[in-house]
């Protein structure tokens, strides 16, 4: 018995200092990373303290798992756990540099996208990133070193429990303080920045895992009664059509141009005295084109796929990951299916792999007749290819030919890729200079935007030459931001003003053009978002939407409520902007007056409620329990895109 005690004491004397060194290094590294690499808007002494202590509890708890291993395996297990936590931290740092967001469990299942992301990821890596793994190297050297004698003794449970108890005590103390400063932190976790700020990176990962499992179980537990609250809300939110516009495009073809990474500030912007987007600028004054200058993207981690999801369904994307991937087999009542009953043929054109964002599967659930992916584009040279597929000019040229072969009327969507991060373009293809902020992402952004503008003009000319112009509605929309708020310092030089919270919200505007031959055009200042596109387009086509489950409302309707809800729970309206935990006057950029606070809080409740109901519907797949009168449900097994080609449509 004495020998066991002695061995345990020797083991403790040797291993505990090694363990303590690992805990301290991981704690400090994580704190410094959270402080310097993420924009968490830490405000006040309490939040500063929480940011400092929140890595300690999780580092202590997770590394203490090594105590359960026997003999020298304690050292190897600790090194493995430490390395995995370091990799997770660094992966989030790199991810955050572009997306201003954190990795979630669903994004890890988006593996079909990984093969196309290589160049973008390399652009985000910095030489100083090697510092993230200096501590891993130090621990590895110690573990491999013969000078560190690894005792073969084992820890008894009563020796391990105090460490775990201390770790849990720190974590619960952290959570209690966080809940005091931010009530309902975990029950209304729309914004991941708050979770990381208050609870730390590793606790956030645990929270995200629990929430993901909970969301996945909703479909199994859902039943027909769950749709009632959703139906009641969407019917009360319905905006009846504007008589002046209803049916203005009835019977016409529909062409969506999906403008990758296009932000509204590009319109009418001059770089060194030269218009960046001269063709799109000319459409703003076109007599048959409506231009919405207060139109916002509402995407989250799904980015491009979120934009598509909203415009096809008028449902919000998910708070984590992409609905295209995790909910691709759900029941939907999407635009292609709705218009199929009106005699429309539907098709998507995209010069990238069909598996990207799971498009080759989710489009079947939407009811698309055809999907022309990279395999449909022929005789391409190396110069015709961008990092994410076919360059816009050859893409539009070939897509236009394929589109002409479709039976009319048709509903089509063309997804561009040239104007995509990291905005690299061969010099011989550029027709405008770079900006000179010193930030390459911002400086190159204008050259790819000009190229996209030229490609769109080419497509309009092609439509006119094909004779389709007079019977085609063209809808052009920006899918999401191109320049994240990590580049606001450079954007201040571009815009010649400070990027305040209100200005940052304004930068989430994206262009929306709706061109209809014979329709009265002009600039429309209505506040709206991508969630509103479907009812707007359907009403222009003369299709009533009252019986459909849609969270958006017709932008042209007099009943349209000008409230734009963002996926993280923030919102914008003509009078109040909700950003983070604060409310602002959009005109002055200052906090709102006290008399507006009740209105602001009421709008916040409405925004949160909308997001909750949409998530319930998507996670529970509730549309399987509801079929509107006159709608024919889609059977995805009826569709196959394996051999879609130009010849097949002729």
């Amino acid at each position: 018995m004495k020998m066991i005690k002695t061995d345990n004491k020797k083991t403790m004397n040797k291993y505990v200092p090694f363990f303590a060194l690992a805990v301290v290094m991981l704690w400090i590294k994580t704190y410094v990373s959270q402080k310097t690499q993420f924009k968490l808007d830490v405000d006040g002494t309490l939040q500063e303290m929480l940011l400092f202590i929140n890595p300690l509890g999780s580092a202590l708890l997770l590394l203490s798992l090594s105590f359960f291993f026997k003999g020298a395996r304690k050292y190897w297990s600790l090194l493995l756990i430490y390395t995995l936590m370091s990799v997770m931290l660094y992966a989030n740092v790199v991810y955050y540099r572009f997306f201003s967001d954190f990795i979630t469990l669903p994004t890890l299942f988006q593996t079909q996208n990984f093969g196309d992301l290589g160049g973008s990821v390399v652009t985000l890596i910095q030489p100083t990133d090697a510092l993230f793994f200096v501590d891993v190297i130090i621990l590895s050297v110690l573990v491999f070193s013969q000078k560190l004698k690894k005792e073969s003794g084992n820890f008894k449970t009563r020796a391990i429990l105090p460490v775990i108890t201390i770790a849990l005590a720190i974590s619960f103390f952290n959570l209690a303080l966080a809940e005091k400063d931010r009530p309902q932190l975990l029950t209304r976790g729309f914004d991941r920045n708050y979770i990381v700020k208050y609870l730390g990176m590793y606790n956030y990962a645990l929270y995200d895992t629990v929430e993901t499992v909970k969301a996945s179980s909703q479909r199994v537990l859902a039943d027909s009664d769950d749709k009632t609250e959703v139906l009641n809300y969407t019917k009360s939110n319905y905006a009846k059509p504007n008589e002046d516009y209803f049916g203005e495009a009835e019977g016409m073809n529909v062409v969506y141009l999906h403008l990758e990474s296009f932000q509204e500030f590009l319109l009418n912007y001059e770089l060194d005295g030269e218009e960046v987007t001269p063709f799109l600028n000319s459409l703003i004054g076109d007599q048959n084109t409506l231009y919405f200058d207060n139109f916002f993207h509402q995407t989250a981690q799904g980015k491009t796929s979120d934009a598509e999801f909203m415009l096809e369904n008028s449902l919000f994307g998910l708070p984590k990951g992409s609905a295209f991937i995790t909910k691709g087999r759900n029941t939907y009542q999407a635009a292609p299916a709705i218009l199929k009953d009106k005699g429309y043929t539907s098709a998507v054109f995209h010069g990238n792999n069909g598996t990207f964002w799971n498009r080759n599967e989710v489009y079947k659930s939407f009811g698309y007749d055809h999907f022309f992916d990279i395999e449909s584009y022929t005789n391409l040279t190396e110069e015709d290819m961008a990092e994410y597929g076919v360059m816009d000019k050859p893409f539009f040229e070939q897509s236009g030919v394929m589109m002409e072969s479709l039976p009319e009327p048709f509903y089509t969507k063309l997804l561009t890729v040239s104007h995509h991060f990291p905005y690299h373009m061969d010099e011989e293809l550029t027709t405008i200079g770079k900006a000179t902020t010193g930030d390459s992402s911002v400086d190159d952004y204008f050259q790819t935007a000009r190229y996209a503008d030229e490609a769109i003009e080419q497509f309009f000319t092609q439509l006119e030459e094909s004779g389709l112009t007079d019977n085609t509605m063209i809808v052009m929309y920006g899918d999401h931001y191109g320049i994240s708020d990590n580049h606001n310092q450079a954007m201040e030089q571009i815009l010649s003003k400070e990027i305040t919270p209100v200005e940052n919200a304004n930068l989430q505007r994206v262009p929306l053009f709706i061109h209809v031959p014979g329709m009265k055009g002009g600039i429309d200042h209505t506040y709206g978002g991508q969630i509103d596109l479907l009812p707007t387009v359907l009403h222009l086509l003369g299709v009533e939407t009252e019986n459909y489950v849609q969270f958006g409302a017709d932008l042209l309707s007099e009943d349209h409520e000008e409230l734009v809800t963002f996926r993280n729970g923030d919102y914008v309206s003509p009078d109040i902007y909700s950003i983070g935990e604060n409310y602002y006057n959009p005109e002055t950029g200052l906090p709102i007056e006290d008399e507006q606070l009740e209105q602001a809080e009421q709008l916040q409740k409405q925004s949160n409620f909308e997001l909750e109901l949409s998530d319930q519907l998507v996670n529970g797949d509730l549309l399987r329990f509801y079929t509107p009168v006159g709608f024919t449900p889609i059977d995805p097994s009826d569709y196959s895109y394996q051999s879609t080609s130009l010849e097949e449509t002729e």
Side-chain angles (χ1 to χ4, degrees), residues 160-440:
I160 303 172
L161 282 177
V163 180
I164 296 177
T165 301
I166 292 171
L168 291 174
I170 293 172
S171 297
F172 282 118
F173 176 68
N174 181 176
L175 179 59
L177 288 180
E179 281 286 340
K180 180 180 179 182
D181 193 60
R182 175 74 176 179
Q184 297 181 305
L185 174 67
L186 298 182
T187 55
R188 290 189 176 274
F190 292 128
D191 195 330
R192 284 174 284 279
N193 279 283
Y194 291 141
I195 306 296
V196 175
K197 176 170 69 173
Y198 284 107
L199 301 184
M201 175 58 64
Y202 310 115
N203 287 327
Y204 154 74
L206 176 62
Y207 165 82
D208 172 60
T209 302
V210 172
E211 288 298 301
T212 299
V213 172
K214 189 194 305 182
S216 299
S217 67
Q218 280 187 252
R219 189 185 191 282
V220 177
L221 301 174
D223 59 38
S224 180
D225 293 337
D226 294 331
K227 72 179 186 295
T228 303
E229 189 175 30
V230 175
L231 283 171
N232 289 341
Y233 179 80
T234 55
K235 284 187 179 295
S236 67
N237 193 49
Y238 166 74
K240 64 182 180 181
N242 185 324
E243 293 182 1
D244 293 335
Y245 287 98
F246 186 75
E248 278 291 291
E250 187 170 359
M252 290 187 182
N253 302 314
V254 180
V255 175
Y256 269 107
L257 297 187
H258 177 109
L259 308 183
E260 171 67 41
S261 303
F262 236 90
Q263 289 177 244
E264 201 272 340
F265 80 87
L266 285 167
L267 280 298
N268 289 321
Y269 185 85
E270 293 188 0
L271 184 65
D272 297 327
E274 189 174 356
E275 288 180 295
V276 177
T277 58
F279 179 69
L280 289 177
N281 294 348
S282 70
L283 291 179
I284 295 176
D286 181 79
Q287 62 179 351
N288 298 137
T289 303
L290 283 168
Y291 177 66
F292 294 82
D293 60 359
N294 284 313
F295 184 74
F296 294 79
H297 84 85
Q298 297 167 285
T299 65
Q301 289 189 326
K303 290 297 182 290
T304 292
S305 68
D306 278 358
E308 289 190 73
F309 188 74
M310 282 185 278
L311 79 90
E312 302 288 15
N313 299 285
S314 195
L315 305 173
F316 287 100
L318 295 175
K320 305 180 184 70
S322 167
F324 263 42
I325 291 176
T326 60
K327 307 298 177 184
R329 295 183 179 275
N330 273 18
T331 299
Y332 294 106
Q333 294 156 15
I338 294 172
L339 293 175
K340 193 181 300 293
D341 290 328
K342 308 298 180 183
Y344 276 75
T345 302
S346 55
V348 180
F349 301 86
H350 187 36
N352 200 345
N353 297 319
T355 57
F356 201 81
W357 288 124
N358 195 38
R359 288 187 173 100
N360 60 341
E361 294 300 328
V362 75
Y363 285 161
K364 297 174 185 177
S365 298
F366 291 173
Y368 268 109
D369 297 313
H370 304 284
F371 177 27
F372 299 92
D373 68 358
I374 184 65
E375 299 299 325
S376 302
Y377 295 82
T378 59
N379 302 319
L380 297 171
T381 66
E382 187 176 339
E383 290 73 25
D384 291 331
M385 299 302 297
E387 187 169 340
Y388 289 86
V390 184
M391 294 285 287
D392 291 353
K393 290 182 181 180
F395 167 71
F396 278 134
E397 182 179 359
Q398 293 198 34
S399 298
V401 174
M402 288 186 275
M403 190 172 67
E404 289 171 32
S405 68
L406 295 172
E408 297 185 55
F410 52 71
Y411 173 90
T412 60
K413 179 171 59 181
L414 292 84
L415 299 155
T416 64
V417 301
S418 297
H419 187 50
H420 193 294
F421 179 84
Y423 313 113
H424 292 161
M425 179 166 285
D426 291 339
E427 198 62 35
E428 59 268 21
L429 296 177
T430 62
T431 57
I432 193 172
K434 297 182 179 183
T436 56
T437 67
D439 184 323
S440 61

Side-chain angles (χ1 to χ4, degrees), residues 248-250 252 286-290 472-474 514-520 540:
E248 278 291 291
E250 187 170 359
M252 290 187 182
D286 181 79
Q287 62 179 351
N288 298 137
T289 303
L290 283 168
T472 300
M473 171 168 65
I474 302 174
I514 300 179
H515 174 83
V516 178
M519 179 186 72
K520 182 181 178 181
L540 284 167

Side-chain angles (χ1 to χ4, degrees), residues 11 15-16 18-20 22-23 59-82 153-155 160 163-164:
T11 302
Y15 184 71
V16 169
F18 178 75
F19 170 79
V23 169
L60 194 59
L61 181 63
L62 291 172
L63 293 179
S64 69
L65 295 177
S66 62
F67 282 108
F68 292 98
F69 288 82
K70 296 180 179 180
R73 281 182 289 180
K74 290 189 293 294
Y75 297 86
W76 296 104
S77 61
L78 184 141
L79 179 60
L80 176 61
I81 296 169
Y82 193 100
N154 305 319
F155 283 96
I160 303 172
V163 180
I164 296 177

Side-chain angles (χ1 to χ4, degrees), residues 120-154:
S120 297
V121 173
V122 170
T123 304
L124 297 170
I125 295 175
Q126 302 172 1
T128 54
D129 289 352
L131 296 174
F132 280 93
F133 297 98
V134 169
D135 52 336
V136 177
I137 295 172
I138 291 173
L139 286 181
S140 299
V141 170
L142 289 174
V143 171
F144 281 99
S145 173
Q146 297 299 320
K147 294 182 180 180
L148 180 66
K149 294 183 179 180
K150 305 173 187 66
E151 299 293 340
S152 59
N154 305 319

Side-chain angles (χ1 to χ4, degrees), residues 11-55:
T11 302
M12 187 174 294
N13 289 340
K14 293 288 185 181
Y15 184 71
V16 169
F18 178 75
F19 170 79
L21 173 65
V23 169
V24 171
M25 287 198 302
L26 187 60
W27 174 21
I28 298 304
K29 178 173 75 172
T30 306
Y31 166 70
V32 172
S33 299
Q34 291 179 173
K35 180 74 173 175
T36 62
Q37 301 298 311
F38 309 131
K39 293 184 178 180
L40 301 178
D41 296 325
V42 177
D43 183 23
T45 304
L46 178 58
Q47 291 185 12
E48 287 284 0
M49 183 180 74
L50 286 169
L51 190 70
F52 179 68
I53 68 171
N54 62 40

